Amino acid sequence: MKRILWLIIGIAVGVYAVTRLKKRAQVLAPEAVQESAAKLAAAVRHFGDQVREGMAEREAELKDALGIDAAANEREDYR
C-alpha cells in the first residue's frame, strides 16, 4: 500500500514539474523574447515622442513668456 501511495505522489510531482517546465520554456522561447523586445522598443519610442512633444510645448511657452518670437520678427523687419 505504501508503494502505491509513493508511486502516485511521484507521478503527480513529475506531471507538475513537466507542466511548469513547459510553461517556462514557452516564456523563454525566442518568439516570446522577440515579442517582449518589440513591446519594449515601442514603449521607448512612445516615451521619446512624448518627451519631444513636451519639450516643444515648453519651448513655445518660454518663447512666448520671454517675447523671443516678437524680437526675432522685429530684427528681420530691420534688414
Side-chain angles (χ1 to χ4, degrees):
M1 193 70 172
K2 282 186 178 182
R3 288 183 181 178
I4 293 175
L5 177 65
W6 285 111
L7 178 66
I8 293 172
I9 291 173
I11 291 171
V13 170
V15 169
Y16 177 76
V18 167
T19 55
R20 295 285 293 183
L21 287 173
K22 281 185 180 179
K23 286 180 184 178
R24 290 265 174 163
Q26 288 175 348
V27 169
L28 297 176
E31 297 86 22
V33 172
Q34 288 176 353
E35 287 177 19
S36 297
K39 287 180 184 178
L40 178 63
V44 169
R45 201 173 307 116
H46 178 70
F47 176 73
D49 292 342
Q50 294 293 323
V51 169
R52 281 189 288 282
E53 185 179 310
M55 287 172 45
E57 288 176 9
R58 183 63 178 149
E59 184 179 3
E61 290 173 3
L62 290 172
K63 283 183 178 181
D64 287 343
L66 296 173
I68 292 175
D69 287 337
N73 289 338
E74 289 175 10
R75 277 187 259 143
E76 289 178 10
D77 291 338
Y78 289 120
R79 291 183 184 177

